[in-house]
Amino acid sequence: MARIVGVYAVPHTPSFVDDVKLNGELSETAEFFSIVRSHFEHAEPDVIVTINNDHFNTFFLDNWPTYAIGVADITAGPNDQTPGMPWRELAIETEAARHILRSVIEDGFDFASSQEFDIDHGALVPLHFLAPAMALPIVPIFVNCVVPPLPRSRRCYQLGRSIAAAIHAWESDTRVAVITSGSLSLEIGGPRVGVDKTFGVPDPAWAAWILERVRLCEHDTLIDVATEARMLKAGNVSGELLNWIIALGMAGQHRPEILINQPALGNAFAARDAERSPDEYLFVHKLCRRVLHDKEFRQLILENPEKAVSSMPFSEAEQAALLAGDVARLYQEGVSAFLLLILGRFEVFDLRPSIFNCRMRTVIAEQVQ
C-alpha cells in the first residue's frame, strides 16, 4: 500500500519567485522554504498530492467547484503569468488521481474532476521552491477558499482524513508527499490593503492564534472557531486556512516538526511527518502482545532486550524508541496506549509502573507548555 511520508503547509504568494531571484539568500522567504525543503527531500517522495485553491484561472464563476481533482495525463502552468516563473509541464499520477476521486466520492464528498486544465501559482509556487525540477508526478486537488459560501472547516478536516485513507488504500508501494498552501490572514485588492500596496494583513494575531492551535494539535478548537465569517474577517482570501485544515486532517495528531510564522505577510510554513496507517504499527503492537502471551519471548526481552527487538523487523527509529522505553514518543506516533501498558505491567525496557506513568504523562505536559 502507498504511504504518506510528509505533509506540508506553505504560502503560495506569487511575488515570492521574483523576490528570491532578487534577494537570494538574504530573502526571508528563501530561508523558510529551504528549511521546509530539507524536510521534504529527506522524506524522498515519489508522488506529490497538491491541495490548494484556484484564483479564477483554472476555474471561473460560470463553473466553480467546491472540490475538484485533475485526472489528465499532464498539466502545465502558470496560467496566470506568475512573475519570474517559466511555463512548466508536469506529469499527473493518473492512477492515484482516479483512485482518490473514486474513494472520496464513495466516502460522501461530491468532487468535480477535470481532464483538461492548467494550474496557477497556488500549486506552482510551492513546487517551485520544494521540488524545483518538477520531475515528480502530481495529483492536483482544488478547494474553494475564496468564493462564498465556503465549505465548512470540519468538512475540510474530514476530507483530509478521507484523502489520507484513500492514499493508504492505494495498492502501490509509492511514497506520497502532500503539499497544501495558502495564507492565514490576507486581503488582496480590497479596502484593508496597505498604503501603496495590493495586499494587507488585517489580523496577524489571528494567524498567530491558528499556529498555536496547530502546534498543540488542538484541531477541534481551531475547527470550532474557524467559521467562514471568522476566516474572512482576517482578509478576503483568508479562507485559504481551509487548505491548512485539510493538511491537519491528513497528518492526524502528529505535531509539526517545523512551524514558522511570517506575520508581516500573513503567512506560515509547516512540515510534519504524516500519520502512519494502522498496519505500520503492526510489529510494535505484536511485540506488546507477545510480551503478554509468549512467556519465552517475555523472558528473552527481559534478559536481552536488544536481541529480542532485533528479532523483529522494526525501523531504526522504532528500535531506538523501544530500547529507550520511550513510550511517550511511541504513543505520539500512534501506537496503542492500551498495548503499551503491557510493557509497563511486565517492566520491559526497565519500564516500572511509576516510570511508565511519568513518561506517558509528559505528553500532556508538553501540550500545555
Side-chain angles (χ1 to χ4, degrees):
M1 298 299 183
R3 178 182 177 188
I4 301 173
V5 295
V7 179
Y8 305 89
V10 296
H12 55 234
T13 307
S15 62
F16 278 173
V17 178
D18 260 356
D19 172 67
V20 172
K21 284 183 178 179
L22 178 64
N23 296 304
E25 294 181 358
L26 297 176
S27 165
E28 177 185 74
T29 295
E31 176 189 355
F32 294 163
F33 266 115
S34 177
I35 294 169
V36 176
R37 181 178 171 183
S38 294
H39 187 287
F40 176 84
E41 291 178 343
H42 183 73
E44 298 183 333
D46 304 309
V47 171
I48 302 170
V49 174
T50 63
I51 301 175
N52 58 272
N53 51 291
D54 178 49
H55 304 81
F56 304 103
N57 299 303
T58 300
F59 304 100
F60 197 62
L61 298 174
D62 59 347
N63 189 7
W64 188 263
T66 297
Y67 306 116
I69 187 169
V71 295
D73 292 326
I74 61 170
T75 189
N79 59 8
D80 57 346
Q81 296 84 50
T82 303
M85 181 176 288
W87 186 261
R88 306 293 295 269
E89 287 194 352
L90 298 90
I92 293 178
E93 174 47 75
T94 53
E95 179 184 338
R98 292 185 181 279
H99 167 77
I100 291 171
L101 174 61
R102 176 172 291 277
S103 181
V104 295
I105 287 177
E106 289 177 351
D107 204 19
F109 291 91
D110 297 324
F111 259 61
S113 62
S114 179
Q115 299 183 31
E116 186 176 347
F117 62 97
D118 297 327
I119 53 179
D120 72 5
H121 68 272
L124 284 169
V125 167
L127 291 173
H128 173 83
F129 287 106
L130 299 181
M134 300 203 187
L136 297 177
I138 68 170
V139 176
I141 294 175
F142 305 92
V143 180
N144 172 30
C145 300
V146 296
V147 179
L150 305 183
R152 292 186 303 113
S153 295
R154 188 163 299 280
R155 187 66 170 158
C156 286
Y157 189 85
Q158 293 166 344
L159 175 60
R161 305 299 294 161
S162 184
I163 296 171
I167 293 170
H168 289 313
W170 180 29
E171 294 185 358
S172 170
D173 59 359
T174 302
R175 299 169 62 85
V176 178
V178 180
I179 300 177
T180 67
S181 65
S183 298
L184 304 179
S185 175
L186 187 64
E187 178 95 354
I188 297 293
R192 293 175 290 176
V193 301
V195 176
D196 296 326
K197 293 183 177 181
T198 60
F199 74 94
V201 181
D203 199 345
W206 166 245
W209 182 87
I210 291 168
L211 294 181
E212 187 64 6
R213 306 289 76 72
V214 171
R215 185 182 73 83
L216 297 175
C217 289
E218 295 177 352
H219 298 173
D220 282 339
T221 300
L222 172 58
I223 290 165
D224 288 343
V225 177
T227 63
E228 176 182 301
R230 183 61 188 90
M231 288 187 288
L232 296 182
K233 182 180 178 182
N236 58 11
V237 295
S238 298
E240 291 177 347
L241 170 61
L242 295 174
N243 296 324
W244 278 68
I245 289 174
I246 291 172
L248 296 179
M250 298 194 71
Q253 290 299 309
H254 277 240
R255 298 176 74 172
E257 283 74 38
I258 297 167
L259 191 61
I260 303 170
N261 194 3
Q262 195 179 34
L265 298 178
N267 291 332
F269 300 73
R272 55 178 63 77
D273 298 330
E275 183 177 57
R276 297 190 294 177
S277 57
D279 61 348
E280 291 185 72
Y281 308 116
L282 178 62
F283 291 105
V284 177
H285 289 154
K286 278 191 171 182
L287 178 140
C288 297
R289 191 170 187 275
R290 286 184 70 184
V291 168
L292 178 63
H293 293 287
D294 186 335
K295 293 182 179 179
E296 290 185 5
F297 182 77
R298 186 193 313 154
Q299 191 63 33
L300 173 63
I301 204 168
L302 289 169
E303 294 176 354
N304 193 338
E306 291 84 0
K307 182 177 180 180
V309 169
S310 64
S311 70
M312 300 180 70
F314 296 116
S315 68
E316 290 183 7
E318 287 170 335
Q319 285 190 34
L322 285 167
L323 292 172
D326 195 346
V327 289
R329 177 181 172 186
L330 290 166
Y331 171 75
Q332 288 176 309
E333 291 183 354
V335 178
S336 166
F338 186 87
L339 291 172
L340 285 172
L341 187 58
I342 295 170
L343 304 181
R345 173 182 172 186
F346 291 100
E347 301 187 6
V348 174
F349 307 125
D350 293 323
L351 286 168
R352 294 185 298 278
S354 61
I355 293 175
F356 181 96
N357 179 271
C358 182
R359 291 180 180 174
M360 192 61 82
R361 286 176 61 82
T362 64
V363 175
I364 300 299
E366 289 177 1
Q367 290 178 350
V368 299
Q369 286 178 356

